[in-house]
Amino acid sequence: NAGVTQTPKFQVLKTGQSMTLQCAQDMNHEYMSWYRQDPGMGLRLIHYSVGAGITDQGEVPNGYNVSRSTTEDFPLRLLSAAPSQTSVYFCATWGQGGRHGYFGPGTRLTVT
Amino acid sequence: KQEVTQIPAALSVPEGENLVLNCSFTDSAIYNLQWFRQDPGKGLTSLLLIQSSQREQTSGRLNASLDKSSGRSTLYIAASQPGDSATYLCASRMDSSYKLIFGSGTRLLVRP
Protein backbone atom coordinates (compact mmCIF):
# COMPACT_ATOMS: atom_id res chain seq x y z
CA ASN A 1 0.00 0.00 0.00
CA ALA A 2 1.97 3.00 -1.27
CA GLY A 3 -0.65 5.61 -0.29
CA VAL A 4 -0.36 8.74 -2.45
CA THR A 5 2.53 8.96 -4.91
CA GLN A 6 3.56 11.97 -6.97
CA THR A 7 5.97 12.16 -9.88
CA PRO A 8 8.29 13.80 -10.63
CA LYS A 9 9.74 15.05 -7.33
CA PHE A 10 11.48 17.97 -9.03
CA GLN A 11 11.02 19.62 -12.42
CA VAL A 12 12.46 22.65 -14.16
CA LEU A 13 10.56 24.07 -17.12
CA LYS A 14 11.09 26.96 -19.46
CA THR A 15 8.32 29.50 -19.93
CA GLY A 16 5.79 28.24 -22.43
CA GLN A 17 6.55 24.56 -22.02
CA SER A 18 3.82 22.13 -21.02
CA MET A 19 3.99 19.19 -18.66
CA THR A 20 1.89 16.84 -16.56
CA LEU A 21 2.30 16.26 -12.84
CA GLN A 22 1.24 12.76 -11.89
CA CYS A 23 -0.70 11.73 -8.80
CA ALA A 24 -1.68 8.15 -8.04
CA GLN A 25 -3.34 6.51 -5.04
CA ASP A 26 -3.96 2.88 -4.19
CA MET A 27 -6.52 3.39 -1.41
CA ASN A 28 -9.60 3.48 -3.67
CA HIS A 29 -10.36 6.99 -2.48
CA GLU A 30 -13.05 8.87 -4.35
CA TYR A 31 -11.97 12.42 -3.58
CA MET A 32 -8.68 13.75 -4.99
CA SER A 33 -7.37 17.28 -5.13
CA TRP A 34 -4.39 19.40 -6.14
CA TYR A 35 -2.94 22.22 -4.03
CA ARG A 36 -0.03 24.56 -4.58
CA GLN A 37 2.14 25.93 -1.80
CA ASP A 38 4.04 29.18 -2.23
CA PRO A 39 6.54 30.64 0.24
CA GLY A 40 4.86 32.44 3.11
CA MET A 41 1.42 31.32 1.99
CA GLY A 42 -0.81 28.44 2.85
CA LEU A 43 -1.78 25.74 0.42
CA ARG A 44 -4.34 26.83 -2.17
CA LEU A 45 -6.75 24.51 -3.96
CA ILE A 46 -6.27 24.28 -7.74
CA HIS A 47 -8.69 21.55 -8.89
CA TYR A 48 -10.49 18.66 -7.29
CA SER A 49 -12.41 15.54 -8.24
CA VAL A 50 -15.19 13.73 -6.38
CA GLY A 51 -14.89 10.61 -8.52
CA ALA A 52 -13.88 9.25 -11.90
CA GLY A 53 -15.17 11.50 -14.67
CA ILE A 54 -16.00 14.40 -12.33
CA THR A 55 -13.72 17.40 -11.80
CA ASP A 56 -14.20 20.97 -10.65
CA GLN A 57 -12.21 24.14 -10.10
CA GLY A 58 -10.75 25.28 -6.84
CA GLU A 59 -9.48 28.68 -5.79
CA VAL A 60 -6.63 29.09 -8.34
CA PRO A 61 -7.44 27.02 -11.46
CA ASN A 62 -6.13 29.30 -14.22
CA GLY A 63 -3.34 27.77 -16.29
CA TYR A 64 -4.06 24.22 -15.13
CA ASN A 65 -6.09 21.34 -16.55
CA VAL A 66 -7.19 18.11 -14.91
CA SER A 67 -9.02 14.94 -15.86
CA ARG A 68 -10.01 11.84 -13.89
CA SER A 69 -10.44 8.79 -16.08
CA THR A 70 -9.76 6.29 -13.27
CA THR A 71 -10.20 6.24 -9.50
CA GLU A 72 -6.45 5.83 -9.01
CA ASP A 73 -5.01 8.69 -11.07
CA PHE A 74 -5.50 12.44 -11.09
CA PRO A 75 -2.95 14.18 -13.35
CA LEU A 76 -2.45 17.95 -13.35
CA ARG A 77 -1.50 19.53 -16.66
CA LEU A 78 0.27 22.83 -17.10
CA LEU A 79 -0.70 24.04 -20.55
CA SER A 80 1.90 26.79 -21.03
CA ALA A 81 4.13 27.19 -17.99
CA ALA A 82 4.69 30.65 -16.53
CA PRO A 83 7.14 31.79 -13.82
CA SER A 84 4.11 32.47 -11.57
CA GLN A 85 3.53 28.71 -11.53
CA THR A 86 6.81 28.11 -9.73
CA SER A 87 5.60 26.36 -6.59
CA VAL A 88 5.38 23.10 -4.71
CA TYR A 89 2.40 21.03 -5.78
CA PHE A 90 0.63 18.57 -3.49
CA CYS A 91 -1.95 15.95 -4.29
CA ALA A 92 -4.37 14.90 -1.55
CA THR A 93 -7.03 12.20 -1.26
CA TRP A 94 -9.96 11.37 0.98
CA GLY A 95 -12.08 8.24 1.15
CA GLN A 96 -15.87 8.52 1.32
CA GLY A 97 -16.65 9.82 4.78
CA GLY A 98 -12.93 10.04 5.49
CA ARG A 99 -11.86 12.74 7.87
CA HIS A 100 -8.13 13.24 7.81
CA GLY A 101 -6.97 12.96 4.22
CA TYR A 102 -3.66 11.80 2.82
CA PHE A 103 -1.14 14.06 1.14
CA GLY A 104 1.52 13.09 -1.35
CA PRO A 105 5.18 14.13 -0.90
CA GLY A 106 4.89 16.98 -3.39
CA THR A 107 6.43 18.05 -6.70
CA ARG A 108 8.74 21.07 -6.66
CA LEU A 109 8.35 22.93 -9.95
CA THR A 110 10.52 25.79 -11.14
CA VAL A 111 9.61 27.75 -14.27
CA THR A 112 12.38 29.93 -15.70
CA LYS B 1 -14.69 34.37 2.09
CA GLN B 2 -12.92 32.41 4.82
CA GLU B 3 -9.43 33.58 5.72
CA VAL B 4 -7.16 31.60 8.01
CA THR B 5 -4.23 33.25 9.77
CA GLN B 6 -1.39 31.78 11.80
CA ILE B 7 0.80 33.93 14.02
CA PRO B 8 3.71 33.83 14.61
CA ALA B 9 5.23 32.68 11.34
CA ALA B 10 8.18 31.19 13.23
CA LEU B 11 8.86 30.14 16.80
CA SER B 12 12.00 28.91 18.54
CA VAL B 13 11.81 27.33 22.00
CA PRO B 14 14.14 25.28 24.24
CA GLU B 15 13.46 21.59 24.63
CA GLY B 16 10.96 20.71 27.34
CA GLU B 17 8.91 23.87 27.05
CA ASN B 18 5.13 23.74 26.69
CA LEU B 19 3.97 25.85 23.78
CA VAL B 20 0.85 27.06 22.02
CA LEU B 21 0.40 27.64 18.31
CA ASN B 22 -2.40 29.93 17.21
CA CYS B 23 -4.83 29.79 14.31
CA SER B 24 -7.58 32.32 13.65
CA PHE B 25 -10.35 32.30 11.07
CA THR B 26 -12.82 34.90 9.90
CA ASP B 27 -15.95 32.82 9.26
CA SER B 28 -17.16 30.90 12.31
CA ALA B 29 -19.50 28.67 10.26
CA ILE B 30 -16.82 26.03 9.84
CA TYR B 31 -17.46 22.33 9.31
CA ASN B 32 -14.22 21.33 11.01
CA LEU B 33 -10.72 22.55 11.79
CA GLN B 34 -7.64 20.44 11.18
CA TRP B 35 -4.02 20.70 12.26
CA PHE B 36 -1.23 19.33 10.06
CA ARG B 37 2.49 18.84 10.44
CA GLN B 38 4.84 19.37 7.50
CA ASP B 39 8.48 18.30 7.59
CA PRO B 40 10.95 19.89 5.14
CA GLY B 41 10.56 18.43 1.65
CA LYS B 42 7.69 16.23 2.74
CA GLY B 43 3.93 16.15 2.45
CA LEU B 44 1.44 17.01 5.16
CA THR B 45 0.52 14.69 7.99
CA SER B 46 -2.79 15.15 9.76
CA LEU B 47 -2.37 15.58 13.52
CA LEU B 48 -5.78 16.44 14.93
CA LEU B 49 -9.21 17.22 13.55
CA ILE B 50 -11.91 19.04 15.52
CA GLN B 51 -15.49 18.88 14.33
CA SER B 52 -17.55 22.05 14.63
CA SER B 53 -19.54 20.52 17.50
CA GLN B 54 -16.39 19.73 19.50
CA ARG B 55 -14.28 21.94 21.75
CA GLU B 56 -11.02 19.99 21.73
CA GLN B 57 -9.16 16.90 20.62
CA THR B 58 -6.11 15.23 22.18
CA SER B 59 -3.46 12.91 20.85
CA GLY B 60 -0.50 12.13 23.06
CA ARG B 61 1.31 15.39 23.88
CA LEU B 62 -0.87 17.36 21.48
CA ASN B 63 -4.13 19.08 22.33
CA ALA B 64 -6.13 21.16 19.88
CA SER B 65 -8.98 23.44 20.92
CA LEU B 66 -11.65 25.20 18.94
CA ASP B 67 -13.58 28.35 19.86
CA LYS B 68 -15.89 29.19 16.98
CA SER B 69 -17.34 32.28 18.64
CA SER B 70 -13.94 33.95 18.76
CA GLY B 71 -12.71 32.41 15.49
CA ARG B 72 -9.72 30.75 17.11
CA SER B 73 -8.05 27.38 17.40
CA THR B 74 -4.93 26.55 19.35
CA LEU B 75 -2.52 23.63 19.19
CA TYR B 76 -0.89 22.92 22.54
CA ILE B 77 2.32 20.89 22.53
CA ALA B 78 3.43 19.63 25.92
CA ALA B 79 7.05 18.98 26.85
CA SER B 80 8.39 19.87 23.42
CA GLN B 81 11.16 17.77 21.86
CA PRO B 82 13.61 18.47 19.01
CA GLY B 83 11.65 15.94 16.94
CA ASP B 84 8.66 18.31 17.10
CA SER B 85 10.56 20.77 14.88
CA ALA B 86 8.46 21.21 11.75
CA THR B 87 5.94 23.55 10.18
CA TYR B 88 2.44 23.34 11.64
CA LEU B 89 -0.51 24.29 9.47
CA CYS B 90 -4.14 24.68 10.35
CA ALA B 91 -6.93 24.36 7.81
CA SER B 92 -10.66 24.89 7.94
CA ARG B 93 -13.38 23.11 6.03
CA MET B 94 -16.61 24.99 5.48
CA ASP B 95 -18.71 22.01 4.39
CA SER B 96 -18.49 18.30 3.63
CA SER B 97 -16.70 18.85 0.32
CA TYR B 98 -13.10 18.24 1.52
CA LYS B 99 -12.00 21.67 0.25
CA LEU B 100 -9.51 22.98 2.78
CA ILE B 101 -8.58 26.61 3.46
CA PHE B 102 -5.10 26.75 4.91
CA GLY B 103 -3.23 29.17 7.08
CA SER B 104 0.36 29.99 6.10
CA GLY B 105 1.81 27.93 8.93
CA THR B 106 4.07 28.35 11.95
CA ARG B 107 7.62 27.07 11.60
CA LEU B 108 8.64 25.59 14.96
CA LEU B 109 12.21 24.95 16.06
CA VAL B 110 12.77 23.11 19.33
CA ARG B 111 16.38 23.61 20.45
CA PRO B 112 18.13 20.76 22.33
Side-chain angles (χ1 to χ4, degrees), chain A residues 82-102:
Chain A
S84 61
Q85 294 179 304
T86 294
S87 189
V88 182
Y89 292 83
F90 290 99
C91 179
T93 77
W94 275 262
Q96 183 65 34
R99 294 173 60 189
H100 290 267
Y102 296 84

Side-chain angles (χ1 to χ4, degrees), chain A residues 37-98:
Chain A
Q37 184 177 34
D38 300 302
M41 300 182 68
L43 281 74
R44 291 180 293 168
L45 181 64
I46 305 171
H47 284 286
Y48 64 97
S49 169
V50 299
I54 307 169
T55 64
D56 206 345
Q57 296 180 351
E59 180 186 357
V60 287
N62 292 342
Y64 306 96
N65 242 354
V66 292
S67 60
R68 183 101 178 266
S69 56
T70 67
T71 299
E72 294 78 20
D73 300 296
F74 190 42
L76 178 71
R77 297 182 187 85
L78 278 69
L79 309 173
S80 177
S84 61
Q85 294 179 304
T86 294
S87 189
V88 182
Y89 292 83
F90 290 99
C91 179
T93 77
W94 275 262
Q96 183 65 34

Side-chain angles (χ1 to χ4, degrees), chain A residues 31 35 37 42 95 97-100, chain B residues 34 38 43 46 49 97-98 100 103:
Chain A
Y31 187 92
Y35 288 86
Q37 184 177 34
R99 294 173 60 189
H100 290 267
Chain B
Q34 195 164 358
Q38 184 177 28
S46 178
L49 184 149
S97 67
Y98 300 113
L100 301 183

Side-chain angles (χ1 to χ4, degrees), chain B residues 41-81:
Chain B
K42 301 286 182 61
L44 280 66
T45 300
S46 178
L47 297 173
L48 290 166
L49 184 149
I50 312 174
Q51 299 287 10
S52 62
S53 59
Q54 298 174 321
R55 298 279 297 186
E56 64 179 300
Q57 282 286 321
T58 298
S59 176
R61 294 182 294 109
L62 305 180
N63 176 277
S65 68
L66 176 64
D67 184 345
K68 292 194 299 179
S69 62
S70 66
R72 292 187 60 193
S73 177
T74 61
L75 179 67
Y76 174 83
I77 302 177
S80 59
Q81 303 170 356

Side-chain angles (χ1 to χ4, degrees), chain A residues 5-17:
Chain A
T5 58
Q6 291 185 237
T7 55
K9 284 187 167 51
F10 302 94
Q11 182 71 49
V12 179
L13 290 178
K14 293 188 188 312
T15 297
Q17 288 184 315

